[in-house]
Amino acid sequence: MAVEKTYDAAALAADIEALVRYAIRCGLVAPADAVWAHNSVLEAVGAPGPAAPHTEVYLAAAYATAPTSDLTGEAPVPNVATGDDAFDLEGTIERIAAAGVANGCEEDTPSGADRIATRVMNILMPRPSEVERTFATLYRSFGAKAATDWFYKMSCDSRYVRKAAIAKNIAWTSATEWGELEITINLSKPEKDPKAIAAAGAVKDTGDVYPACQLCMENEGYHGRGAGAPHGAHPARQNLRILPITLGGEHWGLQYSPYAYFNEHCIAMSAEHRLMHVDRENMSRLLDFVDLFGHYFVGSNADLPIVGGSILSHDHFQGGRHVFPMMKAPAAKTFELAGFDGVACEVVRWPMSVLRLTSADREQLLDAAAHVLEVWRSYTHEEAGVIAQTVEDGETVRRNTITPVACKVDGSYVLYLALRCNITTDEHPLGVFHPHAEWHHIKKENIGLIEVMGLAILPPRLVDELAAVRVHLLAHAGDADSGALAEELEADPLTASHAAWALELAAAHPDLAEDTAEQIIRDGVSDVFGHVLADAGVFKWDDAGRAAQDRFLAAL
């Protein structure tokens, strides 16, 4: 029998008041909006009252900013704008959402509570048109950085960027033969609730899906739906604000990622729901983006399965204010492209196969990049495992593409072109240039744009698994014989897949101790990530691989 949920009305009113004060301090709403905001939040959670504990403060704030106030003197700073800097946004919004669940506003699931929380935050935000006007004013008056600083802060303050969830991620860097690699164990995205999974299994999907995907512009303000709804679950997006930008003469949108992997992780998406594609046209849009936001990098996932990202159904880019390890990597060699004298060309010393093209001449740079892509798409070198196309069920299937990344350095455009090939074989059914089976205990998923640049996004399972590896390694530190350690690792379900790797760590670090074990394991994970990237590289860093790369460069 389900337990009926209740809430304390006075406590709810106090939480709403605290939330409204927070929104005023952040500049999301004006002091004069306070009473309206309080009542709107009450409505959103199905509560008839009561009033805020300090309604008179709200009214004083409204008077201070009203046109009928005393125009002869300085308007007082409303007390409602002051408050505790240590305000617990997550705890407060969770309690308010729980009241909405208790009132039957949404289903009693994490996604149901999140839809209420998102609905509440939307009340406390400026409308999209207001966001656009403020951003445009800041951009024109103070420049791109000031405008994105404001937009990013607003996206965080409004809880669209889930900073509390992102803070749960485990991250570190390690020195490797490829420089400092960055590692993240992703714990921020919420796990699926068992109730939601069960509800999804009972749904019959009929009609057109709206929004067509989670990257569509139509997500702005969308109320979301649970797993039991037609077409399944879709996250609430009432507190999403999308800035309209123009790329390549088309309408695109700019937003920040709710579960960011790096600083100011943003997404630019086409207003048209269409497939990802990599070509000169979209590389030109990448340069349009860095013309608008020169302090950001931007890149596109490859446009083929296996080597592409997780969403190939919507044309989009990812960018942000971060310098990735790949961007810090030195040149292994330089080369020339005939007919493109204004373009400096380098092979990057990076585990994947990456070319770096730099030029102050935008059009010549784009022509050079398009030439590289055209040659690569038709390039086959069987000895290196590169096959440009195959025939599947009578249809020609393209296998080669690139992952392009753009930024500006000292006034010049820089394009990184990572060569990708998604060919599969019986030996490597998931992809020849994909993490090989020996590394699947750490990383099995696709290598997308972010990981190409040197930031690993690893699965949550590793938290418990690596902790168990640590326990076993410490229990047998200094053992002359590794037999007992091997048996324990293989017998433990958490460590069985890591056994061979863990034994190598033990052999390489016989002095492993309580204070060093964590770093040794983390460095070992980073080394695996380096191997994973090398697997994804089409031209290896041995003599045969270097010769194969030179052969491709000669074909250019």
Side-chain angles (χ1 to χ4, degrees):
M1 182 177 179
V3 178
E4 183 177 349
K5 294 194 173 183
T6 60
Y7 64 92
D8 181 284
L12 172 63
D15 275 337
I16 294 175
E17 181 182 67
L19 182 64
V20 171
R21 288 187 181 218
Y22 161 82
I24 292 171
R25 291 198 302 278
C26 294
L28 296 174
V29 294
D33 296 326
V35 173
W36 165 85
H38 181 92
N39 289 333
S40 297
V41 174
L42 284 174
E43 179 186 14
V45 298
H54 304 95
T55 302
E56 71 282 357
V57 178
Y58 284 172
L59 295 175
Y63 177 79
T65 58
T68 53
S69 63
D70 183 0
L71 302 180
T72 61
E74 292 285 333
V77 176
N79 290 333
V80 74
T82 63
D84 182 7
D85 289 336
F87 171 70
D88 179 11
L89 174 60
E90 290 303 312
T92 303
I93 198 69
E94 285 175 12
R95 291 190 297 272
I96 293 171
V101 169
N103 285 331
C105 296
E106 285 286 354
E107 63 193 21
D108 185 11
T109 64
S111 61
D114 190 63
R115 287 193 292 278
I116 296 174
T118 305
R119 187 182 310 153
V120 167
M121 291 310 302
N122 178 55
I123 291 167
L124 303 176
M125 292 182 67
R127 292 189 176 188
S129 59
E130 297 174 282
V131 172
E132 293 167 22
R133 283 196 298 271
T134 301
F135 184 88
T137 299
L138 289 169
Y139 191 101
R140 293 186 183 111
S141 301
F142 302 103
K145 182 178 178 297
T148 56
D149 283 350
W150 172 82
F151 185 43
Y152 180 68
K153 180 179 182 300
M154 190 211 68
S155 298
C156 294
D157 291 341
S158 63
R159 202 173 167 267
Y160 185 74
V161 175
R162 301 294 182 91
K163 294 191 76 173
I166 295 166
K168 297 176 183 177
N169 291 342
I170 298 171
W172 69 87
T173 62
S174 293
T176 73
E177 64 173 307
W178 307 108
E180 291 275 340
L181 294 182
E182 301 173 358
I183 310 295
T184 297
I185 297 179
N186 178 27
L187 302 176
S188 59
K189 289 189 178 179
E191 295 183 10
K192 290 188 177 180
D193 179 63
K195 293 180 184 177
I197 295 171
V203 172
K204 291 184 178 179
D205 196 3
T206 58
D208 293 331
V209 179
Y210 179 82
C213 78
Q214 291 187 29
L215 291 179
C216 285
M217 301 276 279
E218 290 82 359
N219 279 278
E220 189 174 43
Y222 187 66
H223 55 79
R225 56 180 183 262
H231 311 302
H234 193 99
R237 290 289 185 257
Q238 288 108 318
N239 61 341
L240 167 62
R241 296 296 183 264
I242 300 174
L243 287 172
I245 58 175
T246 301
L247 301 180
E250 287 187 345
H251 295 306
W252 281 59
L254 177 68
Q255 68 169 83
Y256 287 101
S257 172
Y259 299 103
Y261 295 125
F262 50 86
N263 188 35
E264 296 180 41
H265 182 177
C266 64
I267 301 170
M269 57 279 187
S270 169
E272 177 187 353
H273 180 70
R274 67 187 185 212
L275 296 177
M276 289 277 298
H277 64 107
V278 176
D279 50 22
R280 188 190 191 281
E281 180 183 48
N282 254 8
M283 287 190 284
S284 178
R285 291 190 180 99
L286 295 179
L287 299 191
D288 285 346
F289 186 95
V290 296
D291 278 338
L292 286 171
F293 308 108
H295 57 303
Y296 280 178
F297 85 92
V298 68
S300 170
N301 266 303
D303 54 355
L304 294 178
I306 298 175
V307 296
S310 58
I311 301 178
L312 297 179
S313 60
H314 196 112
D315 206 7
H316 72 286
F317 308 143
Q318 295 183 72
R321 194 185 302 187
H322 189 66
V323 179
F324 285 86
M326 181 190 76
M327 298 172 174
K328 302 173 186 176
K333 67 177 295 182
T334 61
F335 64 97
E336 294 183 358
L337 286 177
F340 302 101
D341 296 339
V343 180
C345 306
E346 300 170 315
V347 174
V348 181
R349 193 187 183 285
W350 190 242
M352 295 189 66
S353 304
V354 180
L355 307 181
R356 180 164 50 210
L357 308 184
T358 304
S359 181
D361 187 330
R362 174 192 166 112
E363 294 308 307
Q364 189 172 153
L365 177 66
L366 286 170
D367 287 342
H371 172 67
V372 171
L373 175 58
E374 180 183 15
V375 173
W376 176 245
R377 279 205 166 130
S378 61
Y379 188 79
T380 290
H381 185 177
E382 293 186 5
E383 292 85 351
V386 175
I387 308 296
Q389 61 186 37
T390 57
V391 177
E392 311 286 341
D393 298 324
E395 297 288 332
T396 299
V397 179
R398 181 166 55 89
R399 295 297 186 180
N400 289 354
T401 188
I402 63 172
T403 300
V405 178
C407 62
K408 272 188 169 179
V409 178
D410 297 331
S412 290
Y413 298 99
V414 181
L415 272 175
Y416 294 86
L417 308 179
L419 307 177
R420 313 299 301 274
C421 176
N422 78 345
I423 194 72
T424 61
T425 63
D426 291 340
E427 182 183 2
H428 300 293
L430 298 181
V432 172
F433 303 107
H434 178 84
H436 289 178
E438 64 186 303
W439 313 121
H440 286 180
H441 65 103
I442 297 294
K443 177 69 176 177
K444 185 177 181 179
E445 298 78 15
N446 291 358
I447 301 302
L449 168 67
I450 296 170
E451 292 180 308
V452 165
M453 295 185 287
L455 170 56
I457 303 167
L458 302 180
R461 63 176 172 81
L462 288 176
V463 173
D464 292 338
E465 292 176 6
L466 295 179
V469 167
R470 183 178 184 274
V471 168
H472 292 305
L473 289 180
L474 285 172
H476 294 276
D479 284 5
D481 184 356
S482 63
L485 173 60
E487 287 182 12
E488 285 189 17
L489 288 167
E490 291 167 2
D492 186 342
L494 287 174
T495 60
S497 65
H498 301 287
W501 170 72
L503 287 169
E504 290 179 1
L505 286 181
H509 301 278
D511 56 345
L512 181 144
E514 187 76 34
D515 61 337
T516 61
E518 187 77 18
Q519 191 60 49
I520 287 170
I521 291 171
R522 288 186 169 191
D523 289 345
V525 170
S526 300
D527 286 338
V528 169
F529 181 50
H531 288 297
V532 162
L533 293 180
D535 284 348
V538 293
F539 299 124
K540 309 307 180 187
W541 285 86
D542 54 16
D543 291 343
R546 295 302 86 202
Q549 173 133 59
D550 288 344
R551 174 176 161 176
F552 171 67
L553 296 179
L556 295 174

